[in-house]
Amino acid sequence: MPRKSLVTLVGLLTLAAGRLEAGTLFISDERDNTVTALDAQTLQPLKVIPVGRRPRGLVITPDYREVLVCAGDDNRIDVIDTATLTVTRKLDTGPDPETLALSPSGKTVYIANEDDSMVTLLDRATGKALGHVAVGIEPEGIAVNTDESVAVVVSESSSMAHFFDPGSLKVTANVLVDARPRVVVFTPDEKYVWVAAEIGGTVAVINAATREVEKKIAFAVPGVRKEFIQPEGIRFVKNGDVAFVALGRANHVAVVDAKTYAVKGYIQVGHRVWQLGLSPDGAKLYAVNGLTNDVSIIDVASMKVEKSVPVGRLPWGIAVKP
Amino acid sequence: MDPVVADYGLQGAQFGMQEINRSGAFLGKRYTLVTSVVTATGDVKAAAEKLLEAGDSLIIADLEGPDLLAVADLPRARTALILDARTSDDTLRQADCRGNVFHLLPNWAMRADALGQYLAHKNWKRWLLLTGATPADRAYAAAVKRAAAKDGASVVATKSYESGDGADGTSGPREQLQAQLPAVTHIPAAYDVVFVTDTSNAFGDYLLFNTWDPRLVAGTHGLTAVAWNSQFREYAARSVNYRFYQGAKRDMSERDYGNWLATAVIGEAVTRSGKLDTASIKSYLLSDQFSVPANKGEGLTFRHWDHQLRQPLLLFGPRMLVSMAPQPDTRGAQLATDALGFDQAQSECRNMH
């Protein structure tokens, strides 16, 4: 990380520290059929919330009132009230929802139906299906831009990023990436789309306007076999200068300069690190470790793991409430 | 009851074609499968000649070893690319290797090494080798002896068993086996594991709980080393098994997986290289660029010395995944998967070009 931005970041953190409130971390436990709610300050469990079978993808709504979690084996989304920590509603999604995204307005839910090579758009308020988009095999990660003019879904088995128009539900571009893409995110300025390819071992940087792959970021963790480097979750720090990339079975999180694409370092975390979360003030990075059943709490300023917090079995994703 | 299946392999290839066509549609590519099914007594060479004459030179071969060699050695097949989706013969990777053949499923030596590594890791190093009567049984048994030497284990005795078939109508196979299997596993030497090689499934299923002393069973039965299992769930294998089942209405066998993998190899090579001609596809398969995702947790590549696909193997019990090979502490080979089977130094394959 360039020294200059590090200093800026620390400055911001100091300002924010005075008005921190206790937030909540929601972690989906795929094997336990639960969502673990942790107090973000004390890191103690607030509640283990029972949900439908095989919970994986989860998101928090823009008003922070609800967490939506995919219960893949029950073909539905469970809606958790973030105040009462109970499931208050269930939305039918069609077959095997693995992950989801929410429109920035919070009105539309985008669901990847893994077994049906399809994306389903749902009205969040009513649960009604608004439409479907046929995509490649095993769709997984989805991203939607701020004005909801462009959505991108990656298909794991077809190794593609499909751009589509949420209005017309037409696919507008199919971009080939390295093998088994799992995660897609827009950069904070929305000029680029980053796609993590698990088996290819790279992150593709796609120009959001031209839909061309401009760069493939590769990783090399000292002492780790190349085949274990499996990029998954991606998080940008707020100003967009730095990105964190979870490297799956390599058991490390990579720190990437998001402007030059240089890999600045690796942070060792738990086993098979999957998704990443960021605290609202950007001070803490949360790494969800699937095979050690814990979450690593990383101090962003120092890039050090401060603590590992146990959660349920096979933890998958994370949503953060301020 | 297990269903009687007449389309092992074929369903795998058809499923794979659907998949690469689904992906290909987004990129403007279309693949066609021309199927030629030959009966057990039919003329494989003639059927292959017909395909080759029609100009088809990307061939998925769901054939046994001798038929595969007969096809590979046809003059017209010289420039073809034959993807072997079925065999496990070590000889086809060694002295009988061919430059136009690529092997997708693990050979006997890979399987024996995968199990041997695990058994050694558990310190169960004394093996009673029990072989069936077929040439494949004996070939697998030879690979087990090789694995024992490699892993510091020992084959304390080798026994062969030919099952009776209860033809007299009075004693069914179960009664015979219940009497005979304890006898055949009753040997003076102490052993930890019965390593059984019964590739035609003549008696292996009866071995568990039928040994003289209470002993573990590994090999073709008990703990097996396979490329695929319909109960495999990790690395999105669950999705593949599910999609296959939706179409075929039966479980995906290892042979189906081999055929599915053949289509995936073609799809990957065509998509990534942008080439359509057989010679270019073949050289792409052997290049550093090629790797095929195959739901094993890593991209798979071909060994250039014998065209065998490197791959992790599943160590499956009767129902559940017990472990995966290579073991995490594997040493020696540059790529961990090359610890399974014939690494370059052990290769007897010559004249691949």
Side-chain angles (χ1 to χ4, degrees):
Chain A
M1 187 195 303
R3 186 170 292 273
K4 197 177 163 201
S5 58
L6 184 69
V7 172
T8 314
L9 196 59
V10 173
L12 280 175
L13 298 184
T14 316
L15 278 178
R19 48 187 167 79
L20 275 181
E21 291 175 39
T24 311
L25 313 180
F26 295 87
I27 294 106
S28 55
D29 308 312
E30 181 180 351
R31 188 65 55 78
D32 275 352
N33 304 332
T34 56
V35 168
T36 300
L38 296 175
D39 181 301
Q41 291 303 301
T42 66
L43 302 171
Q44 294 300 307
L46 295 168
K47 190 175 175 188
V48 177
I49 307 161
V51 295
R53 289 177 300 160
R54 206 174 182 210
R56 286 179 284 172
L58 78 172
V59 293
I60 191 158
T61 55
D63 61 9
Y64 304 120
R65 287 192 178 162
E66 292 181 333
V67 165
L68 280 59
V69 54
C70 290
D73 284 0
D74 280 323
N75 306 324
R76 65 173 202 241
I77 284 173
D78 284 351
V79 181
I80 295 169
D81 181 319
T82 58
T84 63
L85 303 181
T86 52
V87 174
T88 51
R89 288 193 299 145
K90 291 164 186 176
L91 308 178
D92 287 332
T93 56
D96 193 31
E98 176 165 1
T99 62
L100 77 175
L102 208 51
S103 61
S105 67
K107 284 185 182 153
T108 311
V109 188
Y110 293 71
I111 296 144
N113 297 113
E114 184 179 26
D115 285 336
D116 275 35
S117 305
M118 194 167 79
V119 172
T120 299
L121 278 65
L122 288 184
D123 180 74
R124 181 178 143 220
T126 64
K128 278 211 179 93
L130 302 171
H132 306 284
V133 185
V135 294
I137 302 167
E138 288 175 43
E140 185 152 328
I142 308 175
V144 189
N145 69 349
T146 310
D147 68 6
E148 219 180 333
S149 58
V150 179
V152 189
V153 61
V154 289
S155 51
E156 214 182 316
S157 189
S158 297
S159 297
M160 272 174 238
H162 308 276
F163 286 68
F164 65 93
D165 176 346
S168 68
L169 301 180
K170 291 271 189 294
V171 173
T172 53
N174 300 290
V175 182
L176 191 66
V177 294
D178 284 342
R180 296 198 81 83
R182 314 265 328 229
V183 169
V184 54
V185 291
F186 277 95
T187 53
D189 63 9
E190 300 192 345
K191 287 183 177 162
Y192 292 93
V193 171
W194 286 33
V195 174
E198 180 186 21
I199 296 297
T202 58
V203 169
V205 178
I206 303 171
N207 184 313
T210 65
R211 281 88 198 266
E212 300 283 341
V213 176
E214 287 195 359
K215 171 78 188 171
K216 279 183 185 171
I217 304 168
F219 306 91
V221 185
V224 175
R225 280 186 185 272
K226 189 171 163 276
E227 60 265 32
F228 289 166
I229 293 177
Q230 302 186 333
E232 303 286 342
I234 303 171
R235 281 287 162 185
F236 291 93
V237 292
K238 285 282 162 81
N239 62 8
D241 279 356
V242 173
F244 294 99
V245 180
L247 296 181
R249 285 202 293 159
N251 309 335
H252 282 75
V253 172
V255 185
V256 180
D257 183 317
K259 302 299 177 210
T260 65
Y261 307 128
V263 180
K264 312 301 279 185
Y266 299 97
I267 304 167
Q268 189 168 9
V269 292
H271 288 191
R272 211 194 70 174
V273 54
W274 212 244
Q275 299 285 340
L276 301 175
L278 199 65
S279 64
D281 60 8
K284 306 289 180 205
L285 180 75
Y286 307 112
V288 180
N289 306 311
L291 296 184
T292 36
N293 300 339
D294 58 6
V295 175
S296 302
I297 315 293
I298 298 161
D299 180 64
V300 171
S302 66
M303 304 285 175
K304 294 265 188 297
V305 177
E306 293 182 329
K307 200 169 178 182
S308 293
V309 182
V311 291
R313 291 184 302 164
L314 206 60
W316 197 97
I318 181 164
V320 180
K321 179 184 175 248
Chain B
M1 297 290 280
D2 287 338
V4 176
V5 175
D7 55 5
Y8 281 130
L10 183 59
Q11 287 274 9
Q14 288 169 341
F15 168 58
M17 289 304 291
Q18 279 170 25
E19 302 244 300
I20 62 172
N21 269 319
R22 168 128 205 149
S23 302
F26 292 105
L27 303 170
K29 298 213 158 52
R30 207 172 112 75
Y31 306 85
T32 311
L33 180 69
V34 181
T35 308
S36 175
V37 178
V38 184
T39 59
T41 53
D43 188 345
V44 173
K45 271 165 80 168
E49 280 280 18
K50 219 168 134 189
L51 292 173
L52 291 163
E53 263 171 45
D56 299 312
S57 58
L58 279 179
I59 296 184
I60 300 171
D62 182 58
L63 297 172
E64 289 180 354
D67 289 332
L68 177 70
L69 276 187
V71 171
D73 290 341
L74 289 169
R76 275 185 204 275
R78 261 177 73 87
T79 54
L81 171 57
I82 301 172
L83 296 163
D84 164 23
R86 177 145 163 204
T87 78
S88 295
D89 305 32
D90 285 343
T91 54
L92 294 173
R93 281 77 172 167
Q94 295 279 55
D96 274 337
C97 67
R98 295 291 186 271
N100 53 355
V101 179
F102 287 67
H103 306 284
L104 300 170
L105 293 183
N107 51 304
W108 301 130
M110 289 171 75
R111 293 172 199 263
D113 285 344
L115 285 167
Q117 239 191 18
Y118 182 74
L119 297 177
H121 171 78
K122 301 292 285 184
N123 211 18
W124 299 331
K125 293 184 176 177
R126 298 171 301 176
W127 305 343
L128 163 60
L129 177 57
L130 180 59
T131 74
T134 71
D137 297 342
R138 286 194 285 270
Y140 194 175
V144 173
K145 288 182 177 165
R146 180 182 169 274
K150 221 167 138 177
D151 294 312
S154 61
V155 173
V156 299
T158 304
K159 306 270 268 181
S160 62
Y161 178 76
E162 289 184 39
S163 73
D165 61 358
D168 64 4
T170 54
S171 62
R174 199 264 302 159
E175 282 84 349
Q176 284 183 0
L177 288 154
Q178 190 173 338
Q180 292 166 357
L181 290 176
V184 79
T185 57
H186 187 196
I187 60 165
Y191 61 93
D192 303 305
V193 179
V194 181
F195 210 130
V196 57
T197 64
D198 169 29
T199 61
S200 65
N201 212 12
F203 61 91
D205 279 327
Y206 295 89
L207 205 51
L208 283 109
F209 311 109
N210 250 331
T211 49
W212 180 267
D213 287 317
R215 288 296 175 265
L216 297 166
V217 175
T220 50
H221 295 79
L223 185 66
T224 62
V226 293
W228 192 250
N229 184 292
S230 61
Q231 297 295 331
F232 186 43
R233 299 170 66 89
E234 294 176 23
Y235 306 116
R238 177 202 155 280
S239 294
V240 176
N241 274 318
Y242 176 83
R243 292 198 302 274
F244 179 87
Y245 190 89
Q246 290 297 99
K249 305 292 175 215
R250 63 168 175 81
D251 285 339
M252 187 174 187
S253 67
E254 188 185 58
R255 201 166 134 193
D256 293 311
Y257 177 74
N259 280 267
W260 173 81
L261 200 46
T263 66
V265 164
I266 293 169
E268 199 67 20
V270 167
T271 304
R272 303 278 177 194
S273 73
K275 299 285 171 47
L276 293 172
D277 65 291
T278 305
S280 299
I281 291 173
K282 185 180 158 185
S283 62
Y284 185 76
L285 293 185
L286 293 171
S287 74
D288 290 345
Q289 276 94 54
F290 175 77
S291 150
V292 62
N295 302 85
K296 296 285 185 73
E298 61 187 69
L300 308 186
T301 57
F302 286 104
R303 293 175 183 154
H304 62 82
W305 53 91
D306 62 1
H307 295 180
Q308 170 64 44
L309 192 70
R310 297 181 178 94
Q311 58 197 292
L313 268 67
L314 319 178
L315 302 187
F316 247 87
R319 201 169 153 77
M320 290 303 288
L321 182 71
V322 174
S323 182
M324 284 184 74
Q327 293 301 313
D329 56 1
T330 298
R331 278 184 290 273
Q334 200 156 18
L335 283 165
T337 41
D338 278 339
L340 310 177
F342 304 119
D343 203 347
Q344 190 161 16
Q346 298 121 26
S347 181
E348 291 161 16
C349 171
R350 304 286 178 266
N351 306 317
M352 289 300 271
H353 305 287

